[in-house]
Amino acid sequence: MQASLIVLDRKTTGVINSALLGLGLFGFCLLGIFTRPGADLASFWPANAFMLGMLVRFPSLANPLSWICCAVGFAAADLITGSTILNTVVLNLGNLTAISAGYIVFQRLEPADRRLARPASVLFMLVAIGVAALTAGVIGTVADPFLFGGAPLDALLYWSATEMVNYVAFLPMILTLPDDPLNRLQRIIDTPLDIMKLLPLLALAGTAVAGAVVGGPGAIAFPVLALLWCAVTYSLFATACLAFAFVAWTLLAIATGYLPVADNTADRATLLSIRFAVSLTGVAPLVVASVMAAREELLQRLMFLSNHDQMTGLFNRSAFLENAARRLRGGRSHDFATFVLMLDIDHFKAINDQYGHAAGDRVIIAFAELLKRNVRKNDIVGRMGGEEFAAILSECTAREAQVIATRINTVFAATPVCLEDGSAISATVSIGMVAAASPSIGIEPLLAMADEALYAAKRQGRNRVITPHQA
């Protein structure tokens, strides 16, 4: 009974999400319709990019119900604003067909490319956008002469350019949407204000205003340097948002006359040139931001590799010593102390000799995972080399440290390690534990004392926890 309720809840959630997608699309359609220069295509039409982006970014939305809700949203927006049924059917059939073409291309991309996480991702996105825009253009060669009296070749170029600029403006913002936008926003709010971080944003706003004041065809390019500055300063998502703001502002300002770039912006040839220029300008910061994001990811990966053991993911020796020394310098409270553990897998050479080095690696990995699970969140663990590990237990009593060390020892002895051939072997660990009597004692002397206790555990039969006074 409980399982059926869970399934029902998921279905209900799916229906609600599809309905919300259709409602959001309806809102963006209205926004686009209000920018139509007479009986022509809208100056800014984010609806198609919104739908395509949501289907790609949130795969659970890509279901028949979502497509139906979106079709209803398209039709409702046109009909309530006075469009004829024929225009509504033709235009929205074209919208859905173009979106389908773009979606098919995106489905063939790697997940990282769908999120614009690699330098070449923007190029792949442009291919998908190009397919969707060209599909819209092909439909326009038939629909435009029939609806607006245009020539087929002009319709191909005009419809394609219009779709391209809208996709370039809106789609990257959805594709790069963080997994936890609310938490990300809260972290931004909690971060102290840095005036220097605001300079690229202020420069973008200033150049946009300057373009409106000066006017002329070159006004479109005024914000280019500011956009590139934003791309090397802000995250990929933030850059996508700012690129969207630039494209939306430029198109709407031109449509309403606030940005005078030509004498006759109602002319299709002029609009075609303007929209291509705006779309290409909007792409530039995305390319830079994508490269910067990939560079940052690479630097973080290199930093991780330089500080962590490749096999286990624990701190390596140098990183462990650095973090442990920092923890010790933090001092101790009156009722708590810091404890240092040295841990060594028993008879590890015999395991390698009998079962092979691959089996030995599995034992090391299994112990590292067990070690991470059985210490506290703020404790520090590292692989010192070979089968030897170390841990720092801070802010705990002697009894708590003994409980943690004993648990590691007991659980590892009771947990067989599975090998590739399906067999399993058992191993044990010896542990030496010492308390940091004073913050002035460095990590190296403490590790030496814990090491002495460890070898006392080896001499006393292995598979045990020993402190200096027990040695």
Side-chain angles (χ1 to χ4, degrees), residues 258-287:
Y258 287 104
L259 186 60
V261 297
D263 294 333
N264 182 18
T265 55
D267 177 65
R268 276 201 166 186
T270 303
L271 279 176
L272 180 66
S273 175
I274 290 172
R275 291 179 179 181
F276 267 125
V278 172
S279 62
L280 292 175
T281 304
V283 167
L286 296 176
V287 174

PDB file of all heavy atoms in Angstrom, residues 258-287:
ATOM      1  N   TYR A 258      14.578  52.832 -28.091  1.00  0.00           N
ATOM      2  CA  TYR A 258      15.510  53.372 -27.101  1.00  0.00           C
ATOM      3  C   TYR A 258      16.971  53.211 -27.536  1.00  0.00           C
ATOM      4  O   TYR A 258      17.851  53.861 -26.995  1.00  0.00           O
ATOM      5  CB  TYR A 258      15.305  52.690 -25.749  1.00  0.00           C
ATOM      6  CG  TYR A 258      14.043  53.124 -25.042  1.00  0.00           C
ATOM      7  CD1 TYR A 258      12.923  52.287 -25.022  1.00  0.00           C
ATOM      8  CD2 TYR A 258      13.958  54.355 -24.421  1.00  0.00           C
ATOM      9  CE1 TYR A 258      11.755  52.677 -24.384  1.00  0.00           C
ATOM     10  CE2 TYR A 258      12.789  54.757 -23.780  1.00  0.00           C
ATOM     11  CZ  TYR A 258      11.693  53.913 -23.766  1.00  0.00           C
ATOM     12  OH  TYR A 258      10.545  54.306 -23.143  1.00  0.00           O
ATOM     13  N   LEU A 259      17.221  52.303 -28.476  1.00  0.00           N
ATOM     14  CA  LEU A 259      18.571  52.103 -28.986  1.00  0.00           C
ATOM     15  C   LEU A 259      18.531  52.306 -30.503  1.00  0.00           C
ATOM     16  O   LEU A 259      18.310  51.369 -31.272  1.00  0.00           O
ATOM     17  CB  LEU A 259      19.074  50.701 -28.644  1.00  0.00           C
ATOM     18  CG  LEU A 259      20.535  50.384 -28.998  1.00  0.00           C
ATOM     19  CD1 LEU A 259      21.496  51.325 -28.282  1.00  0.00           C
ATOM     20  CD2 LEU A 259      20.864  48.937 -28.635  1.00  0.00           C
ATOM     21  N   PRO A 260      18.740  53.547 -30.951  1.00  0.00           N
ATOM     22  CA  PRO A 260      18.626  53.848 -32.390  1.00  0.00           C
ATOM     23  C   PRO A 260      19.872  53.416 -33.148  1.00  0.00           C
ATOM     24  O   PRO A 260      20.885  54.099 -33.167  1.00  0.00           O
ATOM     25  CB  PRO A 260      18.468  55.372 -32.405  1.00  0.00           C
ATOM     26  CG  PRO A 260      19.172  55.840 -31.166  1.00  0.00           C
ATOM     27  CD  PRO A 260      19.032  54.746 -30.151  1.00  0.00           C
ATOM     28  N   VAL A 261      19.795  52.263 -33.790  1.00  0.00           N
ATOM     29  CA  VAL A 261      20.959  51.737 -34.517  1.00  0.00           C
ATOM     30  C   VAL A 261      20.806  51.851 -36.029  1.00  0.00           C
ATOM     31  O   VAL A 261      21.766  51.620 -36.766  1.00  0.00           O
ATOM     32  CB  VAL A 261      21.212  50.265 -34.136  1.00  0.00           C
ATOM     33  CG1 VAL A 261      21.558  50.143 -32.660  1.00  0.00           C
ATOM     34  CG2 VAL A 261      20.014  49.392 -34.481  1.00  0.00           C
ATOM     35  N   ALA A 262      19.609  52.140 -36.503  1.00  0.00           N
ATOM     36  CA  ALA A 262      19.379  52.266 -37.945  1.00  0.00           C
ATOM     37  C   ALA A 262      18.167  53.148 -38.175  1.00  0.00           C
ATOM     38  O   ALA A 262      17.315  53.318 -37.283  1.00  0.00           O
ATOM     39  CB  ALA A 262      19.165  50.887 -38.581  1.00  0.00           C
ATOM     40  N   ASP A 263      18.066  53.698 -39.380  1.00  0.00           N
ATOM     41  CA  ASP A 263      16.948  54.585 -39.708  1.00  0.00           C
ATOM     42  C   ASP A 263      15.642  53.827 -39.818  1.00  0.00           C
ATOM     43  O   ASP A 263      14.582  54.324 -39.429  1.00  0.00           O
ATOM     44  CB  ASP A 263      17.227  55.323 -41.024  1.00  0.00           C
ATOM     45  CG  ASP A 263      18.388  56.284 -40.897  1.00  0.00           C
ATOM     46  OD1 ASP A 263      18.630  56.763 -39.772  1.00  0.00           O
ATOM     47  OD2 ASP A 263      19.068  56.542 -41.916  1.00  0.00           O
ATOM     48  N   ASN A 264      15.698  52.597 -40.325  1.00  0.00           N
ATOM     49  CA  ASN A 264      14.477  51.831 -40.532  1.00  0.00           C
ATOM     50  C   ASN A 264      14.668  50.418 -39.994  1.00  0.00           C
ATOM     51  O   ASN A 264      15.079  49.512 -40.729  1.00  0.00           O
ATOM     52  CB  ASN A 264      14.112  51.790 -42.023  1.00  0.00           C
ATOM     53  CG  ASN A 264      12.815  51.026 -42.279  1.00  0.00           C
ATOM     54  OD1 ASN A 264      12.011  50.811 -41.356  1.00  0.00           O
ATOM     55  ND2 ASN A 264      12.609  50.616 -43.521  1.00  0.00           N
ATOM     56  N   THR A 265      14.398  50.231 -38.711  1.00  0.00           N
ATOM     57  CA  THR A 265      14.576  48.917 -38.101  1.00  0.00           C
ATOM     58  C   THR A 265      13.426  47.973 -38.410  1.00  0.00           C
ATOM     59  O   THR A 265      13.449  46.813 -37.998  1.00  0.00           O
ATOM     60  CB  THR A 265      14.720  49.048 -36.564  1.00  0.00           C
ATOM     61  OG1 THR A 265      13.591  49.765 -36.052  1.00  0.00           O
ATOM     62  CG2 THR A 265      15.996  49.790 -36.203  1.00  0.00           C
ATOM     63  N   ALA A 266      12.413  48.460 -39.108  1.00  0.00           N
ATOM     64  CA  ALA A 266      11.314  47.578 -39.500  1.00  0.00           C
ATOM     65  C   ALA A 266      11.647  46.811 -40.780  1.00  0.00           C
ATOM     66  O   ALA A 266      10.970  45.840 -41.122  1.00  0.00           O
ATOM     67  CB  ALA A 266      10.027  48.381 -39.693  1.00  0.00           C
ATOM     68  N   ASP A 267      12.679  47.255 -41.485  1.00  0.00           N
ATOM     69  CA  ASP A 267      13.103  46.564 -42.698  1.00  0.00           C
ATOM     70  C   ASP A 267      13.705  45.208 -42.338  1.00  0.00           C
ATOM     71  O   ASP A 267      14.573  45.103 -41.473  1.00  0.00           O
ATOM     72  CB  ASP A 267      14.129  47.422 -43.434  1.00  0.00           C
ATOM     73  CG  ASP A 267      14.655  46.709 -44.668  1.00  0.00           C
ATOM     74  OD1 ASP A 267      13.867  46.472 -45.591  1.00  0.00           O
ATOM     75  OD2 ASP A 267      15.866  46.396 -44.680  1.00  0.00           O
ATOM     76  N   ARG A 268      13.270  44.170 -43.039  1.00  0.00           N
ATOM     77  CA  ARG A 268      13.706  42.809 -42.689  1.00  0.00           C
ATOM     78  C   ARG A 268      15.205  42.600 -42.866  1.00  0.00           C
ATOM     79  O   ARG A 268      15.843  41.918 -42.078  1.00  0.00           O
ATOM     80  CB  ARG A 268      12.936  41.782 -43.502  1.00  0.00           C
ATOM     81  CG  ARG A 268      11.577  41.426 -42.916  1.00  0.00           C
ATOM     82  CD  ARG A 268      11.105  40.096 -43.450  1.00  0.00           C
ATOM     83  NE  ARG A 268       9.989  39.591 -42.668  1.00  0.00           N
ATOM     84  CZ  ARG A 268       9.456  38.374 -42.852  1.00  0.00           C
ATOM     85  NH1 ARG A 268       9.944  37.586 -43.792  1.00  0.00           N
ATOM     86  NH2 ARG A 268       8.471  37.963 -42.092  1.00  0.00           N
ATOM     87  N   ALA A 269      15.768  43.183 -43.914  1.00  0.00           N
ATOM     88  CA  ALA A 269      17.205  43.031 -44.136  1.00  0.00           C
ATOM     89  C   ALA A 269      17.995  43.668 -43.000  1.00  0.00           C
ATOM     90  O   ALA A 269      18.998  43.112 -42.532  1.00  0.00           O
ATOM     91  CB  ALA A 269      17.595  43.659 -45.475  1.00  0.00           C
ATOM     92  N   THR A 270      17.534  44.813 -42.540  1.00  0.00           N
ATOM     93  CA  THR A 270      18.192  45.479 -41.413  1.00  0.00           C
ATOM     94  C   THR A 270      18.053  44.658 -40.134  1.00  0.00           C
ATOM     95  O   THR A 270      19.022  44.474 -39.386  1.00  0.00           O
ATOM     96  CB  THR A 270      17.589  46.879 -41.198  1.00  0.00           C
ATOM     97  OG1 THR A 270      17.720  47.637 -42.401  1.00  0.00           O
ATOM     98  CG2 THR A 270      18.287  47.604 -40.066  1.00  0.00           C
ATOM     99  N   LEU A 271      16.833  44.164 -39.900  1.00  0.00           N
ATOM    100  CA  LEU A 271      16.609  43.335 -38.717  1.00  0.00           C
ATOM    101  C   LEU A 271      17.459  42.075 -38.751  1.00  0.00           C
ATOM    102  O   LEU A 271      17.982  41.627 -37.729  1.00  0.00           O
ATOM    103  CB  LEU A 271      15.127  42.962 -38.610  1.00  0.00           C
ATOM    104  CG  LEU A 271      14.189  44.014 -38.012  1.00  0.00           C
ATOM    105  CD1 LEU A 271      12.754  43.522 -38.060  1.00  0.00           C
ATOM    106  CD2 LEU A 271      14.593  44.329 -36.580  1.00  0.00           C
ATOM    107  N   LEU A 272      17.592  41.485 -39.936  1.00  0.00           N
ATOM    108  CA  LEU A 272      18.404  40.280 -40.081  1.00  0.00           C
ATOM    109  C   LEU A 272      19.847  40.556 -39.676  1.00  0.00           C
ATOM    110  O   LEU A 272      20.451  39.794 -38.903  1.00  0.00           O
ATOM    111  CB  LEU A 272      18.349  39.805 -41.536  1.00  0.00           C
ATOM    112  CG  LEU A 272      19.141  38.540 -41.869  1.00  0.00           C
ATOM    113  CD1 LEU A 272      18.545  37.347 -41.166  1.00  0.00           C
ATOM    114  CD2 LEU A 272      19.164  38.325 -43.388  1.00  0.00           C
ATOM    115  N   SER A 273      20.400  41.650 -40.150  1.00  0.00           N
ATOM    116  CA  SER A 273      21.775  42.014 -39.805  1.00  0.00           C
ATOM    117  C   SER A 273      21.915  42.273 -38.311  1.00  0.00           C
ATOM    118  O   SER A 273      22.868  41.812 -37.675  1.00  0.00           O
ATOM    119  CB  SER A 273      22.184  43.258 -40.606  1.00  0.00           C
ATOM    120  OG  SER A 273      23.463  43.701 -40.215  1.00  0.00           O
ATOM    121  N   ILE A 274      20.963  43.001 -37.748  1.00  0.00           N
ATOM    122  CA  ILE A 274      21.016  43.332 -36.320  1.00  0.00           C
ATOM    123  C   ILE A 274      20.957  42.063 -35.475  1.00  0.00           C
ATOM    124  O   ILE A 274      21.726  41.886 -34.522  1.00  0.00           O
ATOM    125  CB  ILE A 274      19.866  44.286 -35.958  1.00  0.00           C
ATOM    126  CG1 ILE A 274      20.107  45.679 -36.568  1.00  0.00           C
ATOM    127  CG2 ILE A 274      19.713  44.401 -34.442  1.00  0.00           C
ATOM    128  CD1 ILE A 274      18.927  46.623 -36.422  1.00  0.00           C
ATOM    129  N   ARG A 275      20.061  41.158 -35.814  1.00  0.00           N
ATOM    130  CA  ARG A 275      19.879  39.966 -34.984  1.00  0.00           C
ATOM    131  C   ARG A 275      21.078  39.033 -35.071  1.00  0.00           C
ATOM    132  O   ARG A 275      21.460  38.416 -34.068  1.00  0.00           O
ATOM    133  CB  ARG A 275      18.578  39.262 -35.384  1.00  0.00           C
ATOM    134  CG  ARG A 275      17.361  40.082 -34.984  1.00  0.00           C
ATOM    135  CD  ARG A 275      16.044  39.448 -35.366  1.00  0.00           C
ATOM    136  NE  ARG A 275      14.933  40.285 -34.922  1.00  0.00           N
ATOM    137  CZ  ARG A 275      13.649  39.987 -35.100  1.00  0.00           C
ATOM    138  NH1 ARG A 275      13.307  38.874 -35.721  1.00  0.00           N
ATOM    139  NH2 ARG A 275      12.713  40.810 -34.665  1.00  0.00           N
ATOM    140  N   PHE A 276      21.687  38.924 -36.235  1.00  0.00           N
ATOM    141  CA  PHE A 276      22.913  38.133 -36.329  1.00  0.00           C
ATOM    142  C   PHE A 276      24.027  38.766 -35.492  1.00  0.00           C
ATOM    143  O   PHE A 276      24.781  38.073 -34.800  1.00  0.00           O
ATOM    144  CB  PHE A 276      23.360  38.004 -37.787  1.00  0.00           C
ATOM    145  CG  PHE A 276      22.849  36.773 -38.471  1.00  0.00           C
ATOM    146  CD1 PHE A 276      22.129  36.861 -39.652  1.00  0.00           C
ATOM    147  CD2 PHE A 276      23.089  35.514 -37.939  1.00  0.00           C
ATOM    148  CE1 PHE A 276      21.650  35.719 -40.288  1.00  0.00           C
ATOM    149  CE2 PHE A 276      22.619  34.367 -38.564  1.00  0.00           C
ATOM    150  CZ  PHE A 276      21.895  34.477 -39.739  1.00  0.00           C
ATOM    151  N   ALA A 277      24.145  40.084 -35.559  1.00  0.00           N
ATOM    152  CA  ALA A 277      25.189  40.777 -34.798  1.00  0.00           C
ATOM    153  C   ALA A 277      24.989  40.594 -33.300  1.00  0.00           C
ATOM    154  O   ALA A 277      25.937  40.327 -32.547  1.00  0.00           O
ATOM    155  CB  ALA A 277      25.187  42.267 -35.152  1.00  0.00           C
ATOM    156  N   VAL A 278      23.758  40.702 -32.855  1.00  0.00           N
ATOM    157  CA  VAL A 278      23.471  40.548 -31.425  1.00  0.00           C
ATOM    158  C   VAL A 278      23.741  39.124 -30.965  1.00  0.00           C
ATOM    159  O   VAL A 278      24.323  38.891 -29.897  1.00  0.00           O
ATOM    160  CB  VAL A 278      22.010  40.944 -31.131  1.00  0.00           C
ATOM    161  CG1 VAL A 278      21.631  40.599 -29.699  1.00  0.00           C
ATOM    162  CG2 VAL A 278      21.810  42.438 -31.379  1.00  0.00           C
ATOM    163  N   SER A 279      23.352  38.135 -31.780  1.00  0.00           N
ATOM    164  CA  SER A 279      23.555  36.737 -31.377  1.00  0.00           C
ATOM    165  C   SER A 279      25.044  36.399 -31.291  1.00  0.00           C
ATOM    166  O   SER A 279      25.484  35.730 -30.359  1.00  0.00           O
ATOM    167  CB  SER A 279      22.853  35.799 -32.352  1.00  0.00           C
ATOM    168  OG  SER A 279      23.404  35.927 -33.652  1.00  0.00           O
ATOM    169  N   LEU A 280      25.824  36.858 -32.258  1.00  0.00           N
ATOM    170  CA  LEU A 280      27.260  36.578 -32.223  1.00  0.00           C
ATOM    171  C   LEU A 280      27.931  37.282 -31.050  1.00  0.00           C
ATOM    172  O   LEU A 280      28.852  36.730 -30.424  1.00  0.00           O
ATOM    173  CB  LEU A 280      27.907  37.014 -33.544  1.00  0.00           C
ATOM    174  CG  LEU A 280      27.505  36.203 -34.775  1.00  0.00           C
ATOM    175  CD1 LEU A 280      28.114  36.797 -36.033  1.00  0.00           C
ATOM    176  CD2 LEU A 280      27.921  34.746 -34.617  1.00  0.00           C
ATOM    177  N   THR A 281      27.482  38.498 -30.740  1.00  0.00           N
ATOM    178  CA  THR A 281      28.026  39.210 -29.582  1.00  0.00           C
ATOM    179  C   THR A 281      27.685  38.473 -28.288  1.00  0.00           C
ATOM    180  O   THR A 281      28.501  38.412 -27.365  1.00  0.00           O
ATOM    181  CB  THR A 281      27.467  40.646 -29.529  1.00  0.00           C
ATOM    182  OG1 THR A 281      27.758  41.306 -30.760  1.00  0.00           O
ATOM    183  CG2 THR A 281      28.088  41.428 -28.384  1.00  0.00           C
ATOM    184  N   GLY A 282      26.494  37.895 -28.217  1.00  0.00           N
ATOM    185  CA  GLY A 282      26.103  37.158 -27.018  1.00  0.00           C
ATOM    186  C   GLY A 282      26.859  35.861 -26.835  1.00  0.00           C
ATOM    187  O   GLY A 282      26.998  35.366 -25.710  1.00  0.00           O
ATOM    188  N   VAL A 283      27.364  35.286 -27.953  1.00  0.00           N
ATOM    189  CA  VAL A 283      28.103  34.024 -27.866  1.00  0.00           C
ATOM    190  C   VAL A 283      29.501  34.234 -27.280  1.00  0.00           C
ATOM    191  O   VAL A 283      30.012  33.382 -26.536  1.00  0.00           O
ATOM    192  CB  VAL A 283      28.202  33.366 -29.256  1.00  0.00           C
ATOM    193  CG1 VAL A 283      29.216  32.236 -29.253  1.00  0.00           C
ATOM    194  CG2 VAL A 283      26.850  32.835 -29.680  1.00  0.00           C
ATOM    195  N   ALA A 284      30.125  35.361 -27.597  1.00  0.00           N
ATOM    196  CA  ALA A 284      31.529  35.586 -27.222  1.00  0.00           C
ATOM    197  C   ALA A 284      31.798  35.382 -25.733  1.00  0.00           C
ATOM    198  O   ALA A 284      32.716  34.626 -25.361  1.00  0.00           O
ATOM    199  CB  ALA A 284      31.972  36.978 -27.663  1.00  0.00           C
ATOM    200  N   PRO A 285      31.035  36.008 -24.823  1.00  0.00           N
ATOM    201  CA  PRO A 285      31.323  35.783 -23.405  1.00  0.00           C
ATOM    202  C   PRO A 285      31.060  34.346 -22.965  1.00  0.00           C
ATOM    203  O   PRO A 285      31.706  33.857 -22.025  1.00  0.00           O
ATOM    204  CB  PRO A 285      30.378  36.758 -22.687  1.00  0.00           C
ATOM    205  CG  PRO A 285      29.293  37.036 -23.655  1.00  0.00           C
ATOM    206  CD  PRO A 285      29.950  36.986 -25.004  1.00  0.00           C
ATOM    207  N   LEU A 286      30.155  33.650 -23.629  1.00  0.00           N
ATOM    208  CA  LEU A 286      29.881  32.254 -23.260  1.00  0.00           C
ATOM    209  C   LEU A 286      31.084  31.368 -23.578  1.00  0.00           C
ATOM    210  O   LEU A 286      31.415  30.466 -22.804  1.00  0.00           O
ATOM    211  CB  LEU A 286      28.644  31.746 -24.004  1.00  0.00           C
ATOM    212  CG  LEU A 286      27.324  32.442 -23.668  1.00  0.00           C
ATOM    213  CD1 LEU A 286      26.209  31.906 -24.554  1.00  0.00           C
ATOM    214  CD2 LEU A 286      26.969  32.254 -22.206  1.00  0.00           C
ATOM    215  N   VAL A 287      31.714  31.622 -24.716  1.00  0.00           N
ATOM    216  CA  VAL A 287      32.905  30.842 -25.068  1.00  0.00           C
ATOM    217  C   VAL A 287      34.002  31.069 -24.034  1.00  0.00           C
ATOM    218  O   VAL A 287      34.625  30.120 -23.546  1.00  0.00           O
ATOM    219  CB  VAL A 287      33.400  31.240 -26.479  1.00  0.00           C
ATOM    220  CG1 VAL A 287      34.723  30.546 -26.786  1.00  0.00           C
ATOM    221  CG2 VAL A 287      32.356  30.885 -27.529  1.00  0.00           C
TER     222      VAL A 287
END
